[in-house]
Amino acid sequence: MPHVTVGSERADSIDIYYEDHGTGTPVVLSHGYPLSGKAWEKQVSVLLAAGYRVITYDRRGWGNSSQPTDGYDYDTFASDVNVLLTELDVRDAILVGHSMGTGDVARYLGRYGTERVAKAVLMSPIPPFLLRTDDNPEGAPQSLFDGFIQAARGDREAWLKQFLQNFYNLDVYGGTLVSDEAFQASVNVAVAGSPVAAVACIPTWLTDFREDLATIDVPVLVIQGDQDRVLPIGVTGQRVSAFVADSQLLVIEGGPHAIAWTHADQVNDALLDFLKK
């Protein structure tokens, strides 16, 4: 399996698994918590058919990547992305992130700039800043995330299943836009992830990306469902334009957090239209 080495833990290397298919302009897809690069299944085939080179990767702790006990912070995630793009000599790329992956994209652009990047897409985004503070009253209270951490530590499997139920709005779309088999496959991927990562990733959601967004000098497309229960649009997607000058927001009516799966046709049409401009 193809990997790039991004560090070490004692005598073992920390490796990021990736898949690299097709030719043409590269599109790099960064997945959300608690899944893997396989979450982009409904985008990869469409992008390949449209003539793009498509690169997916598994964030450290998930999928086929290493499961170290540290490095679960956005500076490290961005560094992992930088190693991947450098090793593969990716240029003029479109970076596409979903959920946690939007933090990878934002922090990468904030730290490493746009030398290798032509455009970016933030889907169901974490940025700009989720935590409620004096200068960010729109955010959520710390106690909410403390509860998430406690739940993940107390019964990781139950926490992940409940999280994914909200991820897909399963009470609305279960059995129609989300089959029982697809939901169970997501649970399987989540439970197979690192127990350390399942907990350690939660505090990263409170990262302040406002300065990162302000540095972005390439076009940005934000795509989000108006029924996103994980990252409500009023706290996240609707606020990105205040920090990114060249940005646009597409709201998908009825869309949950997992719009890349449940509303794949609308997402793919918007993605291809943005890539072609």
Side-chain angles (χ1 to χ4, degrees), residues 51-246:
Y52 291 94
R53 176 186 177 189
V54 183
I55 300 167
T56 62
Y57 69 93
D58 297 345
R59 186 175 296 102
R60 62 169 60 208
W62 305 99
N64 291 313
S65 288
S66 297
Q67 297 189 2
T69 57
D70 61 7
Y72 297 103
D73 61 86
Y74 272 108
D75 286 347
T76 303
F77 297 150
S79 176
D80 292 349
V81 173
N82 184 56
V83 172
L84 177 66
L85 299 189
T86 302
E87 289 282 333
L88 298 182
D89 194 26
V90 172
R91 299 183 183 278
D92 296 319
I94 295 92
L95 299 187
V96 182
H98 174 254
S99 190
M100 264 198 79
T102 63
D104 290 8
V105 172
R107 182 52 52 90
Y108 172 84
L109 294 173
R111 288 193 65 183
Y112 299 99
T114 55
E115 180 181 358
R116 296 181 178 274
V117 179
K119 297 178 181 179
V121 179
L122 305 178
M123 198 178 303
S124 307
I126 282 182
F129 187 24
L130 284 181
L131 182 63
R132 182 180 299 164
T133 61
D134 289 343
D135 69 342
N136 191 51
E138 301 92 343
Q142 176 72 52
S143 59
L144 176 66
F145 302 94
D146 291 342
F148 293 162
I149 292 169
Q150 183 178 2
R153 284 177 175 159
D155 189 334
R156 178 175 64 97
E157 291 82 0
W159 152 256
L160 291 169
K161 182 177 181 180
Q162 181 183 40
F163 183 89
L164 287 167
Q165 288 170 341
N166 287 322
F167 192 88
Y168 288 108
N169 289 11
L170 198 66
D171 56 323
V172 178
Y173 295 122
T176 55
L177 299 184
V178 185
S179 68
D180 294 343
E181 293 80 6
F183 179 74
Q184 188 57 51
S186 291
V187 173
N188 293 344
V189 170
V191 171
S194 161
V196 172
V199 177
C201 283
I202 296 172
T204 72
W205 304 345
L206 304 182
T207 302
D208 187 348
F209 294 103
R210 292 176 292 185
E211 291 186 5
D212 299 294
L213 295 181
T215 69
I216 297 175
D217 57 0
V218 295
V220 173
L221 172 64
V222 180
I223 311 175
Q224 191 161 13
D226 63 4
Q227 299 301 310
D228 190 331
R229 297 176 184 173
V230 175
L231 296 169
I233 191 170
V235 181
T236 54
Q238 289 180 342
R239 299 180 58 211
V240 170
S241 62
F243 301 93
V244 182
D246 189 358

